Amino acid sequence: MNEELPELVGKRIYVCGKLHPQIRVAMREIEQSDSLFPDGSTEPNPPVRVYDCSGPWGDPDCHCTVEKGIPRMREPWIAARGDVEHTRSGALVAADCVKPPTQRSYASRGIITPEMEYVAIRENLGREEVYKAVYDRFPDRKSRPEEVQVMLDELGTGMPRPSELEKLDNFGPKSMQRRADIGYRHPADYAEKTGVHAPAYYTPEFVRDELAAGRALIPANINHPEAEPMIIGRRFLCKINANIGNSAISSDIRQEVHKLRRAVQWGADTVMDLSTGTDIHRTREWILRNSPVPIGTVPIYQALEKCGGHVEQLTWQIFRDTLLEQAEQGVDYVTLHAALLQRFVPFTASRATGIVSRGGSIMAKWMMIHDQENFLFTHWAEVCAILAAYDVAVSIGDGLRPGSIADANDFPQLAELEIQGDLTQSAWRCGVQVMNEGPGHVPLHLIPENMRKQMSWCHEAPFYTLGPLPTDIAPGYDHITGAIGGAMIAQRGCAMLCYVTRKEHLGLPDAEDVREAVVTYKLAAHAADLAKGHPAAQLRDNALAKARFEFRWEDQFNLSLDPQRAREYHDQTLPHANAKKAHFCSMCGPNFCAMKLSQEIRELHPDRS
Amino acid sequence: MNEELPELVGKRIYVCGKLHPQIRVAMREIEQSDSLFPDGSTEPNPPVRVYDCSGPWGDPDCHCTVEKGIPRMREPWIAARGDVEHTRSGALVAADCVKPPTQRSYASRGIITPEMEYVAIRENLGREEVYKAVYDRFPDRKSRPEEVQVMLDELGTGMPRPSELEKLDNFGPKSMQRRADIGYRHPADYAEKTGVHAPAYYTPEFVRDELAAGRALIPANINHPEAEPMIIGRRFLCKINANIGNSAISSDIRQEVHKLRRAVQWGADTVMDLSTGTDIHRTREWILRNSPVPIGTVPIYQALEKCGGHVEQLTWQIFRDTLLEQAEQGVDYVTLHAALLQRFVPFTASRATGIVSRGGSIMAKWMMIHDQENFLFTHWAEVCAILAAYDVAVSIGDGLRPGSIADANDFPQLAELEIQGDLTQSAWRCGVQVMNEGPGHVPLHLIPENMRKQMSWCHEAPFYTLGPLPTDIAPGYDHITGAIGGAMIAQRGCAMLCYVTRKEHLGLPDAEDVREAVVTYKLAAHAADLAKGHPAAQLRDNALAKARFEFRWEDQFNLSLDPQRAREYHDQTLPHANAKKAHFCSMCGPNFCAMKLSQEIRELHPDRS
């Protein structure tokens, strides 16, 4: 039942904070072997630092058990702020309603929290090490700041190998001109135009500024101190969410926790618990106490369970109690379908696929039965007050997202988006952190419009999309469909992609489906990060490309998003250990290996390399 | 060893030609079950016609054997033109060099061949049936041509259900205005701007015009009469190529033919035989005699085998003989790395990954050893004369395509692209059909530039890309990486995508890898066709979406790109036969099914549906 957990390649390291020295940001450092040259000489390759979501589960020195849960890392940070008190049930809650304990509120008040410094360090990845290498090599950097800058730009996109560093003296307007002549554009040129550009270096102050502006959020409920801070915003690394959760049809609690661990070890940045079956509260408790990443939920599912599945019995009171219960338990963000207004519902009747959001259809049916406005909308101020008191972020749902190409960008979808924008602003005023959910099924040519309208109508709040899926005809392959649309919208600024598994539209994903989906979405998000010119993104590509060119097979596997699979596929054709040192692979064989021929060409032109 | 061939869902039908009544264009027609309404009434759903590459292998009435090969469908068409004669070896060759027997030459001379009418019928798919249905319903169409046009536009993108048809009287400036208000754009608006728009209806004359302009090609060697005509051009359905071929490391002939059959049954539009091992000629003979799709090769591989793998022993004479041998055998298109000039090679030495094209690296090494210009470039006129005499199309290779993100859009790549453009024009002057090969590893933000420059520098000749792969860090998942880049470039006009399997960079693909890759690229190509506004593309999405919404599970499976997998995934959670009639699936269970709730809402608002 419980398939093995993925092996995490590389060494667990921790980078400490400066403003907040108690911070220890977990990363993995992937060691590389030396480059070997034809003359027998060697050259070391620097280790590559990668983002690591696995938390204590990924630290070989940390011996956690599912029963005990993982350490409560943020507990002292929260306590030190002195702005929370205990409820009767023992949970933490804001002591002062005017200054809520939310990351947004701190940011607005000019306070840089440990959470903010944590994510700044996390987002920089190996960037700092590269800077140090450059500076060490050119101690006179202060006299030539422009040239160093040019080189650093190149490093972010080019190959950080010593031969490049030595060319520093040749850098200047001319070589830049040659690049311009042939049409080269630095990703930042493109990214700046679309407002998705990352800074050259993440500072805690930059993080604070993005949070205060509402362009980013750090979902971090004060009752979920186990979670490591993680930022969602278009000027940061694009994040991905994995869904788990049992349904009335199958699954059990231990399996869900195991899925959680698999998801974060593969690289999920947040996990949504979408359980709808029995034991919702207990399942969530196990998940929260074991999760190093923020946990999201759709509270209406549990509220409906409390009504025995009878939509007509739902009330604001039942919902409010459920929201409070989840906030006290530690849920970091909740999807609320508050922008789905009563007057929009009839417009879905003529759609090809009506309403396809579970939460959306529950709210719609409730409004139809009672002929009343959405209670989440009418009680929005009360909702926001609850969220602010626990720093639960809100993900304003898109209950009317299109469920087919035919319905993309239609009136009900865009009408709801406009209301999402209004609710965003009022939630911000209460100090609540906000993101907006987006589609859904959208053909490629209509995707940019979704991003543009969301950015404009929702005041630059982070966008969080499910796909989009640019065709309906690929059930069984919809992880790929969604990755195509996801990469496209993330490149334009979508801050987080919700994964779609290959079982989407067909059945419940198993562990292998989760692996396939998480890696696929990491891939799509990374492709977007490259295009956005994130300063650290391309370092890993460059390292892998160099390993590939130099036939360092083990390094190539280790730097992959899924090292086990890369190794397994290689070994299917060439299983022997010495094939890992071969200067060819099974695709072309030794006589036709382009890489090998190309290296021979390099030897014929030593002056050019 | 030989895994089972995929089951082809639907009924094989043939559509006959009008200009050339002997033409019978194969398609598959997927029957659907009736829609069932809550009041017990039913409504039929029209069958959906899909493109079918499987040739005689896909016709249950055709009993072919691999040993005998498939019927030589085009033989009488070729003979009837009376412009070919037999060589001593028995192959066909042009009788008259001035008027070569190429589809380009016929098109330029204003001749509409059976091949041209064949592809026109093929590209229209089910479109004609939809038109007929509309016209039957509105016999007074001639008095209201504009309204019918508006409705046909809607049909191409909206839901072709009777309730839509009945709304015809309500169609007019106002409803269009509402669409415009909410930002709706017909794909054709977008597509026209970028020059990728398809006509509302494909006519043989339209095909001829595109061929004469060089914007499209029909690879159709006069010695490969088994192949069904297939068109490659940006204003047609985007095509995909699958690679097969043995290497020195593994594979055998029967396995290659089996791979070919699997590839075409899954939907590959062309197949490249990239064999490099022993028995190249015999392997290719088996493949050609059994292939209903055009076959491409890279002749330099065989030329090099004739030299025992010693690049220095390659000569123009050996190459020419090889090219002639393949032309007489029936190869439909050849990749020639003729645009890789000697002066570009040194620039690859400082690249991150040098030269990654096998053919490109062979030519580069030859030029370095002999200090001579590329013999394909210096003998281009002679090359073109050979190609024209057999109607072998040329796919001008991109030997310097980037092999990593770091090398994308660099000087050597773009320098070669410029020469590809020059060679395109001179090949056209000889009557040769041409396409250009493109990258490779390119980050998302640099993909549009590749398409723009190719379209401009290569005079709108069709572009045929490998990927592009927008990141280097996903070995084991590079079918997905390539599908992301492929969808993006195809949307902008790339005419054919060469598949990349998940074994790319790691090993040789097996049958299951081929299935996964072909379906993934069909998905990417289809997403691009939707965005390009191809008139028939969305009919299938709409039918599948409707089947999904109405819980017609079997129809949903059958309309999928991979029906077996869709069914298999569904059955993993709900294996019982009656689950195929259930009005929910295992993802949400009966109480949380959005589709079910949405249908209940529709029942509450019958007046709006």
Side-chain angles (χ1 to χ4, degrees):
Chain A
M1 199 68 183
N2 282 354
E3 288 87 339
E4 257 185 76
L5 288 165
E7 173 205 350
L8 287 168
V9 169
K11 193 173 71 187
R12 166 63 69 113
I13 59 159
Y14 290 93
V15 181
C16 291
K18 282 171 192 161
L19 281 178
H20 300 279
Q22 76 274 31
I23 292 177
R24 292 170 74 237
V25 182
M27 295 181 187
R28 274 185 301 127
E29 203 166 71
I30 300 172
E31 298 285 342
Q32 298 192 79
S33 54
D34 293 350
S35 296
L36 176 65
F37 296 102
D39 63 3
S41 65
T42 61
E43 196 176 78
N45 289 293
V48 176
R49 288 190 178 177
V50 299
Y51 199 101
D52 191 347
C53 306
S54 62
W57 298 115
D59 185 341
D61 297 334
C62 186
H63 304 286
C64 307
T65 63
V66 172
E67 289 70 21
K68 279 190 184 171
I70 59 176
R72 300 165 69 85
M73 182 182 82
R74 290 199 308 126
E75 203 161 50
W77 311 356
I78 295 163
R81 291 192 278 258
D83 55 0
V84 294
E85 56 188 28
H86 287 276
T87 64
R88 264 181 301 181
S89 70
L92 295 178
V93 68
D96 174 0
C97 291
V98 183
K99 290 181 177 174
T102 70
Q103 296 295 319
R104 174 177 170 83
S105 171
Y106 300 134
S108 307
R109 287 182 266 149
I111 300 167
I112 294 178
T113 61
E115 285 86 346
M116 297 175 202
E117 190 182 14
Y118 191 103
V119 300
I121 295 169
R122 222 175 179 186
E123 296 282 318
N124 279 319
L125 286 174
R127 188 69 175 162
E128 207 158 15
E129 292 305 300
V130 175
Y131 274 57
K132 225 165 64 187
V134 172
Y135 287 162
D136 286 352
R137 195 172 272 263
F138 301 100
D140 61 335
R141 68 191 183 274
K142 281 190 184 148
S143 59
R144 303 188 296 176
E146 279 173 30
E147 282 165 344
V148 169
Q149 191 49 53
V150 167
M151 203 189 58
L152 288 174
D153 276 359
E154 287 285 310
L155 280 177
T157 55
M159 198 68 182
R161 57 181 186 276
S163 60
E164 283 293 323
L165 299 181
E166 270 141 25
K167 277 198 256 165
L168 187 67
D169 285 325
N170 299 324
F171 264 79
K174 255 196 192 157
S175 69
M176 293 308 282
Q177 187 52 45
R178 211 198 67 212
R179 286 257 179 194
D181 284 346
I182 59 166
Y184 177 88
R185 285 174 306 152
H186 191 281
D189 298 345
Y190 158 80
E192 256 175 66
K193 253 185 266 170
T194 45
V196 297
H197 55 295
Y201 195 73
Y202 290 98
T203 61
E205 174 57 27
F206 177 83
V207 172
R208 191 205 59 74
D209 197 53
E210 291 291 298
L211 286 174
R215 283 192 296 269
L217 71 156
I218 299 177
N221 185 324
I222 52 176
N223 292 304
H224 186 206
E226 296 90 348
E228 296 174 351
M230 187 276 305
I231 194 158
I232 302 168
R234 70 174 189 272
R235 297 184 68 188
F236 298 90
L237 289 163
C238 177
K239 303 304 187 295
I240 67 155
N241 171 70
N243 292 332
I244 57 173
N246 54 6
S247 83
I249 301 294
S250 80
S251 261
D252 69 59
I253 292 180
R254 281 187 176 272
Q255 203 183 330
E256 292 310 312
V257 175
H258 196 76
K259 271 192 204 162
L260 162 80
R261 287 184 56 189
R262 275 184 68 96
V264 299
Q265 295 207 190
W266 283 118
D269 297 288
T270 81
V271 167
M272 287 192 84
D273 171 19
L274 303 183
S275 295
T276 57
T278 46
D279 273 338
I280 290 187
H281 184 97
R282 210 159 60 90
T283 306
R284 195 169 51 231
E285 184 66 24
W286 280 61
I287 288 172
L288 281 164
R289 302 290 78 87
N290 282 290
S291 175
V293 303
I295 295 295
T297 64
V298 187
I300 198 81
Y301 296 171
Q302 190 184 4
L304 186 60
E305 283 293 343
K306 290 181 181 174
C307 303
H310 301 289
V311 174
E312 62 278 13
Q313 294 177 16
L314 269 177
T315 61
W316 157 244
Q317 285 70 24
I318 293 173
F319 183 85
R320 188 197 54 198
D321 293 346
T322 309
L323 187 62
L324 272 168
E325 171 190 337
Q326 299 200 7
E328 298 208 338
Q329 209 176 6
V331 168
D332 299 287
Y333 67 93
V334 289
T335 296
L336 302 181
H337 298 93
L340 198 178
L341 302 190
Q342 194 183 0
R343 63 178 182 272
F344 303 155
V345 177
F347 288 97
T348 66
S350 61
R351 274 181 155 188
T353 45
I355 302 177
V356 296
S357 149
R358 276 194 264 172
S361 58
I362 293 165
M363 293 314 298
K365 193 173 175 191
W366 185 89
M367 291 188 278
M368 291 299 97
I369 292 170
H370 294 284
D371 194 18
Q372 283 177 29
E373 187 52 278
N374 185 330
F375 59 72
L376 293 170
F377 181 79
T378 53
H379 291 83
W380 191 241
E382 217 173 327
V383 166
C384 290
I386 295 172
L387 300 176
Y390 300 89
D391 201 4
V392 177
V394 63
S395 184
I396 304 176
D398 58 333
L400 299 180
R401 64 171 176 269
S404 58
I405 294 297
D407 292 343
N409 293 25
D410 70 352
F411 171 72
Q413 182 201 334
L414 295 175
E416 186 182 18
L417 181 65
E418 225 178 312
I419 307 300
Q420 286 178 294
D422 297 345
L423 296 177
T424 296
Q425 284 193 309
S426 48
W428 279 344
R429 279 193 292 269
C430 302
V432 176
Q433 303 191 89
V434 184
M435 59 184 164
N436 299 125
E437 293 185 14
H441 294 242
V442 183
L444 291 175
H445 68 291
L446 296 182
I447 287 177
E449 187 189 8
N450 273 278
M451 191 65 231
R452 275 197 309 270
K453 283 203 169 35
Q454 189 274 338
M455 221 190 270
S456 151
W457 295 359
C458 299
H459 320 286
E460 304 194 51
F463 204 21
Y464 168 30
T465 59
L466 180 64
L469 303 172
T471 168
D472 301 333
I473 67 169
Y477 294 79
D478 277 337
H479 61 312
I480 301 175
T481 319
I484 292 173
M488 192 190 236
I489 202 160
Q491 180 195 0
R492 283 168 175 75
C494 179
M496 183 154 78
L497 303 174
C498 181
Y499 84 9
V500 171
T501 76
R502 53 193 182 187
K503 292 274 175 66
E504 183 76 19
H505 302 115
L506 296 169
L508 281 174
D510 60 24
E512 199 54 27
D513 299 329
V514 169
R515 169 193 189 171
E516 186 90 12
V518 172
V519 176
T520 298
Y521 278 77
K522 291 300 278 182
L523 192 177
H526 182 78
D529 289 335
L530 285 180
K532 282 161 61 181
H534 187 284
Q538 201 176 324
L539 294 173
R540 187 167 176 182
D541 294 74
N542 292 347
L544 195 146
K546 190 165 185 265
R548 182 175 281 158
F549 192 65
E550 294 174 357
F551 299 102
R552 286 184 277 115
W553 287 100
E554 289 293 345
D555 292 347
Q556 199 183 142
F557 302 149
N558 290 340
L559 289 163
S560 302
L561 286 175
D562 186 344
Q564 283 107 311
R565 175 159 299 176
R567 185 175 286 108
E568 173 200 324
Y569 282 177
H570 174 271
D571 291 358
Q572 275 175 21
T573 335
L574 294 175
H576 303 298
N578 57 4
K580 304 287 193 317
K581 290 178 181 162
H583 275 212
F584 62 89
C585 72
S586 57
M587 294 182 72
C588 308
N591 280 339
F592 283 86
C593 177
M595 294 265 190
K596 188 162 165 265
L597 287 167
S598 185
Q599 291 197 346
E600 290 167 20
I601 291 163
R602 193 176 275 191
E603 287 157 36
L604 291 166
H605 275 269
D607 51 318
R608 297 287 192 144
S609 65
Chain B
M1 199 66 186
N2 282 353
E3 287 87 342
E4 258 185 74
L5 288 166
E7 173 206 351
L8 288 168
V9 169
K11 191 174 69 185
R12 167 63 69 115
I13 60 158
Y14 292 93
V15 181
C16 292
K18 282 169 191 161
L19 280 177
H20 301 278
Q22 76 274 31
I23 291 177
R24 292 171 74 236
V25 182
M27 294 180 188
R28 274 185 300 128
E29 204 166 72
I30 300 172
E31 297 286 341
Q32 298 191 78
S33 54
D34 292 352
S35 296
L36 176 65
F37 297 103
D39 63 2
S41 66
T42 61
E43 194 177 78
N45 289 293
V48 175
R49 287 190 177 178
V50 299
Y51 200 99
D52 190 348
C53 306
S54 63
W57 298 115
D59 186 341
D61 297 334
C62 186
H63 304 286
C64 308
T65 64
V66 173
E67 289 70 22
K68 281 189 182 169
I70 60 176
R72 300 164 70 83
M73 180 182 83
R74 291 201 306 128
E75 204 161 51
W77 310 356
I78 295 162
R81 291 192 276 257
D83 56 359
V84 293
E85 57 189 29
H86 287 277
T87 65
R88 266 182 301 181
S89 69
L92 294 180
V93 68
D96 173 0
C97 292
V98 182
K99 290 182 178 174
T102 71
Q103 296 295 319
R104 174 176 172 82
S105 171
Y106 300 135
S108 308
R109 287 182 268 146
I111 300 166
I112 294 178
T113 62
E115 285 86 347
M116 297 174 203
E117 191 182 12
Y118 192 103
V119 299
I121 295 169
R122 219 173 182 189
E123 296 283 319
N124 281 321
L125 288 173
R127 189 67 174 163
E128 208 157 15
E129 293 305 301
V130 174
Y131 273 57
K132 227 165 64 190
V134 172
Y135 288 162
D136 286 354
R137 194 171 272 265
F138 301 100
D140 61 335
R141 65 190 184 276
K142 278 185 188 150
S143 59
R144 304 190 295 177
E146 280 173 28
E147 282 165 345
V148 169
Q149 190 51 52
V150 167
M151 204 191 57
L152 287 174
D153 276 1
E154 286 285 309
L155 279 176
T157 53
M159 198 71 182
R161 58 180 186 275
S163 60
E164 283 294 320
L165 299 181
E166 271 143 24
K167 277 198 254 164
L168 188 67
D169 285 323
N170 299 325
F171 264 80
K174 253 198 193 155
S175 71
M176 294 309 280
Q177 186 52 44
R178 209 198 70 213
R179 285 256 180 195
D181 285 345
I182 59 164
Y184 178 88
R185 287 171 306 155
H186 191 280
D189 298 345
Y190 158 82
E192 255 176 65
K193 255 188 264 170
T194 46
V196 298
H197 55 295
Y201 196 74
Y202 291 98
T203 61
E205 175 56 28
F206 177 83
V207 172
R208 191 206 58 74
D209 198 53
E210 291 292 298
L211 286 174
R215 282 193 295 268
L217 70 156
I218 299 176
N221 186 324
I222 52 176
N223 292 304
H224 186 207
E226 295 90 349
E228 296 174 351
M230 186 275 306
I231 194 157
I232 302 168
R234 69 173 189 271
R235 296 185 67 188
F236 298 90
L237 288 164
C238 178
K239 303 304 187 297
I240 67 154
N241 171 69
N243 292 331
I244 57 171
N246 55 5
S247 81
I249 303 292
S250 80
S251 263
D252 69 59
I253 292 179
R254 282 187 175 271
Q255 202 182 330
E256 292 309 313
V257 175
H258 196 76
K259 269 191 206 164
L260 161 80
R261 287 182 56 188
R262 274 183 70 95
V264 299
Q265 294 207 193
W266 283 118
D269 297 287
T270 82
V271 166
M272 288 193 82
D273 171 19
L274 302 183
S275 294
T276 57
T278 47
D279 275 338
I280 291 186
H281 184 96
R282 211 158 59 90
T283 306
R284 196 170 50 232
E285 184 65 24
W286 279 63
I287 288 173
L288 281 164
R289 301 292 76 86
N290 283 291
S291 176
V293 303
I295 295 295
T297 65
V298 187
I300 197 83
Y301 297 170
Q302 190 185 3
L304 186 61
E305 283 294 343
K306 290 180 181 175
C307 304
H310 301 289
V311 174
E312 61 279 12
Q313 292 175 17
L314 269 177
T315 62
W316 158 243
Q317 286 71 24
I318 294 172
F319 182 84
R320 189 197 52 201
D321 293 347
T322 308
L323 187 61
L324 272 168
E325 172 188 336
Q326 299 200 7
E328 297 207 338
Q329 209 175 4
V331 168
D332 299 288
Y333 68 93
V334 288
T335 296
L336 301 181
H337 298 93
L340 198 178
L341 301 189
Q342 195 182 359
R343 63 178 183 271
F344 303 154
V345 177
F347 287 96
T348 65
S350 62
R351 273 181 157 189
T353 45
I355 302 177
V356 296
S357 148
R358 277 194 264 172
S361 59
I362 294 165
M363 293 314 298
K365 192 173 175 189
W366 185 90
M367 291 189 276
M368 292 298 98
I369 292 169
H370 295 285
D371 194 17
Q372 281 177 28
E373 187 51 276
N374 184 330
F375 59 72
L376 293 169
F377 181 79
T378 54
H379 291 82
W380 190 241
E382 217 172 328
V383 165
C384 290
I386 295 172
L387 300 176
Y390 300 88
D391 200 4
V392 177
V394 63
S395 182
I396 303 177
D398 57 333
L400 299 180
R401 66 170 174 268
S404 57
I405 294 298
D407 292 343
N409 292 25
D410 71 352
F411 172 73
Q413 181 201 333
L414 295 174
E416 186 182 19
L417 182 65
E418 223 177 315
I419 307 300
Q420 286 177 294
D422 297 346
L423 296 176
T424 296
Q425 284 193 308
S426 48
W428 277 345
R429 280 193 292 270
C430 302
V432 177
Q433 301 191 89
V434 184
M435 57 185 164
N436 300 126
E437 293 184 13
H441 294 241
V442 184
L444 291 175
H445 68 292
L446 296 182
I447 287 177
E449 186 188 10
N450 274 276
M451 192 65 233
R452 276 198 306 271
K453 282 202 168 38
Q454 188 276 336
M455 220 190 271
S456 151
W457 296 0
C458 299
H459 321 286
E460 305 194 50
F463 204 21
Y464 168 30
T465 60
L466 178 66
L469 302 173
T471 169
D472 301 335
I473 67 169
Y477 294 79
D478 277 337
H479 61 311
I480 299 175
T481 320
I484 292 172
M488 192 190 235
I489 202 159
Q491 180 195 1
R492 283 166 175 77
C494 180
M496 183 156 76
L497 302 174
C498 181
Y499 84 7
V500 172
T501 76
R502 53 192 182 188
K503 292 275 175 67
E504 182 76 18
H505 302 115
L506 296 170
L508 281 173
D510 61 24
E512 200 52 28
D513 299 328
V514 168
R515 167 193 190 171
E516 185 90 12
V518 171
V519 176
T520 298
Y521 278 76
K522 291 299 277 182
L523 192 177
H526 182 77
D529 289 335
L530 284 181
K532 282 161 61 179
H534 187 286
Q538 200 176 325
L539 295 174
R540 187 166 176 182
D541 294 73
N542 292 348
L544 195 145
K546 190 164 185 268
R548 182 174 284 158
F549 192 64
E550 294 174 356
F551 299 101
R552 286 183 276 115
W553 288 99
E554 290 293 344
D555 292 346
Q556 196 182 146
F557 303 149
N558 290 340
L559 289 163
S560 302
L561 286 174
D562 186 344
Q564 283 106 313
R565 175 158 301 176
R567 186 175 286 108
E568 174 199 324
Y569 282 178
H570 175 271
D571 291 358
Q572 277 176 21
T573 335
L574 293 175
H576 304 297
N578 56 5
K580 304 287 194 318
K581 290 178 181 162
H583 274 211
F584 61 89
C585 72
S586 58
M587 294 182 72
C588 308
N591 279 339
F592 284 87
C593 178
M595 295 264 190
K596 188 163 165 269
L597 286 168
S598 186
Q599 291 197 346
E600 289 169 19
I601 292 164
R602 192 176 278 189
E603 286 157 39
L604 290 167
H605 275 266
D607 50 318
R608 299 285 192 145
S609 65

